[in-house]
Structure formats: structure tokens, C-alpha cells
Amino acid sequence: MTVLSTRYFDTLIERLAKVRDEQAEAIEKAAELCAKSIAAEKLVFTFGTGHGAIPALESFPRTGTIVGFRPIVESTMISFHHVWGDMGARQYRFIHAQEGYGKAIMRSHQLDPADTMILFSHSGINAVILDIAMECKDRGIGLIAVTSMPHSSSVPSRHSSGKRLYEVADVVIDTGIPKGDAAIHIDGLDYPVGASSTSVTIAIAHAIVSTTAEKLVKQGITPGVMVSPNTTEKAEADRQNDANYEALWSRLRAR
């Protein structure tokens, strides 16, 4: 008898393998856009709402990432784990469905036409994500979507444009995650457990960052790499990472 945890890991491995086998070309195209922006001393912004914010946050400045990626962190979009009280689940469900909020986010970050935006959204249908996507298109900013085609193509948009994220983006990376996300059925439960979209999108995020680094090196550009300070080489790691922070600041200061 297979234990449930094994069933879950097998499902996750299958989904990661599907992305590896079917999305390599899209990831290469995404990295080309990112490398072009970073080589031009511009930025690659990453954004998602709800659990889509987690892969966005992984893009910098954690270990193994490079200077040039810039997560957009909106506390109203990522703090729904509170459930009750300030910035809880109900506030999140309300705010991510409000048109206009995404446009305010874009104004706050002063994006340049030579920047790139990566949007992580499993469904790709909600207002804030589509606001940002439409603004990117209007400004000529390269737009990468990491989304579930099985889910998004089967549901209508919740934005006045009638568009879904994959219909707007320049490059679409399909997670392949089924509509319901969770995949493990347990006898006696009405609904499945074991979501995998977050794990898959985090892997995609790091594949994009890593491939971008490779493309920069091939152009003769050495990107600043974040290194772990939790080793015996902490002083050297701190020196390297502080230099990376300064390099990011120099890009932001020019705005």
C-alpha cells in the first residue's frame, strides 16, 4: 500500500517533469527578456497575489539569485494567512478583485519601458493581475506569465478587458497544474488535498533566474549573485551581498 505522502511526492514529481519537458523553450524566451533588461541596467519585476506572491519573493535576494530581479511586495496581497483581523483573508479576497489597484502599484514602482515583468498567477483571471498585465502592454514592457493553462483557459476573466493573463503576455510558461490545484483524494473527504502549484511555480522562478544568469555570462556580463551567509565564509558572503544590494540601489536610484 502506497502511503499518502508518497502519492503526493509522485504527483509533484510528475508535474515538475512535465514542465521540464514541455516548457524549456518558454523558459529560455523568458530568460532572454530578463537578460536583455538586466544587461541594459534595468530591472525585472516579479509579482503575484496570494500564493502567487511566494515565487515572486523567491526571485531576489535569496541565495542563488542575481541582481536585477525586483519583487513587488504588497502586504495586502500576501498576508491572507491571518484569516481573521488585520490584512486577513476577507480583505485579500476583496482587494485582489478591485480594478485600479494594479495601476496604482505600477505608478508606485516607476517601471521603465526597458524593464521586464514576471506575473505569477495560477488562474490568471483576477483584476489586480490583469491591471498590471494591461499596463505593461500599454507601456511596451516585456511581460512573462507563469500560469496554469488548464485552469485559466477553462474559466472567464474577472477583468473588464475580458482578457486572461495568458492572452496578454509576450511569453507564457504553463505550469500545467489542473484547475483544482490539489490532487490527492482521500476517502471520506469531499475535496482533494495536496496543492502543488506553489512548488512548481517556485521551481519555474528559479529556472528563469538561473537561465538569465547563464545568458548574461555568455554576453560577458558577470551578474551579482547572492550567496549564503550561513557558512564559515560569512564575512565574505556579507561583503558580496552588500555589494549586490548597492548594485540594486544604483538601478533604483536612476529612476
Side-chain angles (χ1 to χ4, degrees), residues 203-225:
I204 290 170
H206 285 295
I208 294 171
V209 172
S210 300
T211 308
T212 299
E214 179 189 45
K215 291 184 180 299
L216 289 168
V217 171
K218 287 182 177 179
Q219 294 177 43
I221 299 169
T222 303
V225 180

Side-chain angles (χ1 to χ4, degrees), residues 121-125 147-157 162-167 172 174-179:
S121 177
H122 177 66
S123 69
I125 63 172
T147 190
S148 165
M149 289 297 293
H151 187 141
S152 195
S153 63
S154 67
V155 292
S157 174
K163 299 287 188 181
R164 291 160 290 190
L165 178 58
Y166 75 87
E167 297 172 302
V172 177
D174 179 15
T175 66
I177 304 297
K179 184 176 178 180

Side-chain angles (χ1 to χ4, degrees), residues 132-147:
I132 292 177
M134 301 300 285
E135 280 283 301
C136 286
K137 295 304 293 181
D138 289 345
R139 300 186 193 186
I141 295 166
L143 177 60
I144 300 162
V146 180
T147 190

Side-chain angles (χ1 to χ4, degrees), residues 36-214:
K36 182 178 180 180
S37 292
I38 293 173
E41 294 293 315
K42 302 300 181 182
L43 294 164
V44 178
F45 287 87
T46 61
F47 180 75
T49 69
H51 60 264
I54 300 173
L57 290 169
E58 282 280 302
S59 66
F60 191 82
R62 62 109 66 240
T63 299
T65 60
I66 63 173
V67 173
F69 285 83
R70 175 68 170 170
I72 295 176
V73 183
E74 288 289 317
S75 58
T76 53
M77 298 289 169
I78 64 173
S79 298
F80 61 97
H81 59 279
H82 287 177
V83 181
W84 295 105
D86 60 300
M87 292 187 291
R90 286 165 177 80
Q91 293 93 313
Y92 164 71
R93 278 163 42 188
F94 173 82
I95 200 71
H96 87 145
Q98 301 307 303
E99 289 195 34
Y101 196 89
K103 292 182 179 181
I105 292 171
M106 290 285 282
R107 288 196 299 271
S108 295
H109 290 275
Q110 300 181 20
L111 272 75
D112 185 282
D115 289 333
T116 296
M117 174 70 74
I118 308 176
L119 294 178
F120 297 91
S121 177
H122 177 66
S123 69
I125 63 172
N126 287 302
V128 171
I129 285 290
L130 266 300
D131 268 355
I132 292 177
M134 301 300 285
E135 280 283 301
C136 286
K137 295 304 293 181
D138 289 345
R139 300 186 193 186
I141 295 166
L143 177 60
I144 300 162
V146 180
T147 190
S148 165
M149 289 297 293
H151 187 141
S152 195
S153 63
S154 67
V155 292
S157 174
R158 294 174 179 168
H159 190 266
S160 61
S161 68
K163 299 287 188 181
R164 291 160 290 190
L165 178 58
Y166 75 87
E167 297 172 302
V168 183
D170 300 301
V171 178
V172 177
I173 301 171
D174 179 15
T175 66
I177 304 297
K179 184 176 178 180
D181 194 349
I184 306 299
H185 294 270
I186 298 174
D187 290 342
L189 278 182
D190 292 335
Y191 302 104
V193 298
S196 57
S197 63
T198 304
S199 299
V200 171
T201 52
I202 287 173
I204 290 170
H206 285 295
I208 294 171
V209 172
S210 300
T211 308
T212 299
E214 179 189 45

Side-chain angles (χ1 to χ4, degrees), residues 1-15:
M1 178 180 176
T2 303
V3 298
L4 189 138
S5 61
T6 299
R7 286 169 53 200
Y8 174 76
F9 284 120
D10 286 346
T11 298
L12 184 57
I13 290 167
E14 288 171 8
R15 292 179 175 180

Side-chain angles (χ1 to χ4, degrees), residues 17-39:
K18 184 177 176 66
V19 170
R20 178 199 63 201
D21 296 341
E22 298 181 3
Q23 300 303 309
E25 184 178 351
I27 291 170
E28 285 286 323
K29 290 179 179 178
E32 287 172 6
L33 287 178
C34 296
K36 182 178 180 180
S37 292
I38 293 173

